[in-house]
Amino acid sequence: MSRTAGCWQSCVRHVFHYETVKTLVIPNVRVGCVFRFTQLLVLLYVVGYVCVVQKSYQEKESVVSTVTTKVKGFAFTNTSTGNWKFWDVADYVIPPQGETSLFVLTNMVVTPHQTQTRCPELPNPSTTCVDDCDCIEGLSDPRGNGIQTGLCENFSTTVRTCEVLSWCPLEIDSELPERALLASAENFTLFIKNSITYPKFNFHRRNIGSHISSSYLQSCEFHRATDPECPIFRLKHIVSEAGEEFQEMAVKGGVLGIIIDWSCDLDWWAETCHPKYSFRRLDKDPASNLAPGYNFRFAKYYKTQNEEEFRTLFKAYGIRFDVIVFGTAGRFSIVPTIVNLGAALAFLSLVPVVSDWFMLTCMRKGDLYSRHKVTHLHEDGDAEAELTSTSYGTQ
Ligand SMILES: *[C@@H]1O[C@H](CO)[C@@H](O)[C@H](O)[C@H]1NC(C)=O
C-alpha cells in the first residue's frame, strides 16, 4: 500500500521536474580544434555542395521538346555502267518527313527486275549441294533467301546450290561500292528546329533565339568556336565532331546522335539559356567495333504490260541522325530550400559525437574527461530516489 503510494508520489513529482543537460567545458586546444574543424566541414558541405553545386534551393524540371528537321543539298552520281543520276532531297531522305530521327541515304545495292520464281541460292556452306538429296523441300532458313524446292541446281559452272522459291534474281550485297555512291552527301546541310518548354516555370524557347537575325540564318553554318548557335549543320562537320570520317561512315552507314543540352538556371541566367550541341556516333563505340553500320531494304513495285508483277530491290545504307534533347531547369522555391537546408543542418548534430570520440580516445586525459562526463549510479536502494538525490546532491 505504502509502496504503491510512494511510487505514485514520485511519478507526480517527476512530471513537474525540469531536466537540463550539464555542460562540460574542456579547455584544450586540440579538442577545440577538432570541434571547430568538424563544424567547418559541415558548413562547407552545406554551402559548397548543397547550395552551390546541387542548388538544392531550387525546384527542378525536365525539358519537354519537339524537333523538326530539314535536309538540303543535291548530288550527281555516275555508275560504272555509265548511267548518271541526279539526286535531290526526295530521293535520299527516307522517310520524307523529318522528325527527331532522319535517314540520309549514302550508299546502296540495287537489284533490278526481280520476279517471283525459282533460282539457285547464293553459295555458302549450308546451301551448296551435290545432288537433290542434299536439299530439303519446304525448308525455309531465316538466314537464307527463300523456301527450298528440294532441287540442286547449277549456281555457276563450278558451284551447285539448293534451289529456292523467292524474288529472283537474288540480291548479292557483298559487292558494296567501296566509295559511297552519294559521297557528296558530306556537303548536305541539316536544319534543326527545336522548340522546348519547361511547363512548371512557364518557360518557352527555340533554338532559333530572338537574337538571331534572318540574314544570319540564311548564311550561317554551325561551328563550335565561331557559330555555336547556328542551327544549320554541314553533315561532314558533325560527323567529324563525333570523331568519325564521313566518307568511311557513308559506305556502310551508321547512327549519329545530335545531342542538344538545354540545362539552365532560371534564377540567374535565364536570358542566356541557349542550347549546347554535341555529337556522338551511336552504332559503335571505341571498345567494341562489332556490327557497326546501318541499313535497311525497300522495294519499288511495277507491273509489265501482261500484268506480271516485278520489283526493284534497294538495300539502302546511310546515316541516321537521331536528335536527342535533354536538360533540367531549376528555379528558387521555398519548399525544397527548407527541406534540404534542414537535412543538411542535421549533420551539425554529428559534430559533438566526433568531438566526444576524439576527446575520450585520443587525449591523454581521456580517463579524467570520461569520469566527469559519465556519472555512474549505485544500484542499492530505490533507483528513482537515488537518481533524484544524485541529481541535486541532497540526501
Ligand atoms: C564539298 O564541298 C567542298 C568545298 O565546297 C569541296 O571541296 C568538296 O569537293 C565537296 N565534296 C564533295 C564530295 O563533292
Side-chain angles (χ1 to χ4, degrees), residues 21-286:
V21 178
K22 198 168 133 192
T23 308
L24 205 59
V25 178
I26 311 285
N28 182 292
V29 177
R30 284 168 69 194
V31 179
C33 279
V34 168
F35 176 61
R36 292 297 173 203
F37 180 71
T38 323
Q39 265 185 340
L40 184 75
L41 280 187
V42 171
L43 281 182
L44 279 182
Y45 163 74
V46 172
V47 174
Y49 186 72
V50 177
C51 292
V52 177
V53 180
Q54 288 285 76
K55 298 195 173 146
S56 296
Y57 56 86
Q58 288 184 331
E59 198 174 9
K60 302 269 165 60
E61 190 179 32
S62 296
V63 73
V64 179
S65 138
T66 54
V67 172
T68 58
T69 53
K70 183 175 263 185
V71 183
K72 284 188 176 173
F74 306 110
F76 196 73
T77 57
N78 254 323
T79 57
S80 50
T81 52
N83 296 333
W84 59 266
K85 189 177 170 187
F86 170 79
W87 297 75
D88 70 4
V89 183
D91 300 315
Y92 61 72
V93 173
I94 308 166
Q97 198 195 342
E99 283 173 53
T100 56
S101 175
L102 85 154
F103 175 81
V104 175
L105 183 131
T106 52
N107 207 359
M108 63 180 180
V109 173
V110 184
T111 314
H113 222 285
Q114 283 188 322
T115 53
Q116 296 213 344
T117 48
R118 297 149 172 261
C119 47
E121 261 285 14
L122 304 179
N124 70 45
S126 69
T127 58
T128 48
C129 57
V130 178
D131 58 32
D132 291 353
C133 304
D134 296 334
C135 302
I136 305 157
E137 189 179 347
L139 178 78
S140 75
D141 179 3
R143 288 161 190 259
N145 289 293
I147 298 169
Q148 294 194 2
T149 60
L151 302 178
C152 189
E153 297 285 334
N154 287 335
F155 178 80
S156 63
T157 49
T158 52
V159 186
R160 281 164 72 81
T161 59
C162 293
E163 189 190 59
V164 287
L165 195 65
S166 181
W167 283 100
C168 296
L170 297 176
E171 175 192 81
I172 302 171
D173 61 0
S174 52
E175 290 167 15
L176 186 66
E178 270 183 25
R179 179 175 153 76
L181 181 72
L182 259 80
S184 43
E186 66 176 30
N187 282 334
F188 294 173
T189 59
L190 170 63
F191 182 19
I192 297 179
K193 293 193 218 178
N194 178 209
S195 168
I196 63 114
T197 173
Y198 289 108
K200 211 188 273 177
F201 308 128
N202 196 21
F203 182 85
H204 314 279
R205 273 292 155 90
R206 290 174 75 205
N207 63 336
I208 311 160
S210 48
H211 57 291
I212 295 180
S213 70
S214 77
S215 59
Y216 174 72
L217 201 59
Q218 267 159 23
S219 59
C220 76
E221 201 177 292
F222 175 85
H223 190 279
R224 189 165 301 287
T226 58
D227 299 82
E229 285 197 49
C230 179
I232 299 171
F233 305 86
R234 189 172 289 257
L235 300 193
K236 183 188 169 80
H237 183 75
I238 57 182
V239 171
S240 68
E241 279 258 325
E244 300 283 333
E245 169 59 45
F246 186 91
Q247 292 305 339
E248 199 181 299
M249 195 173 169
V251 175
K252 287 202 154 184
V255 183
L256 199 101
I258 300 173
I259 299 152
I260 309 181
D261 178 6
W262 276 99
S263 295
C264 289
D265 184 334
L266 300 183
D267 283 331
W268 309 101
W269 299 287
E271 281 320 300
T272 59
C273 183
H274 300 313
K276 287 178 258 334
Y277 301 96
S278 57
F279 310 93
R280 200 159 69 81
R281 185 165 179 180
L282 302 178
D283 64 313
K284 73 169 196 185
D285 60 74

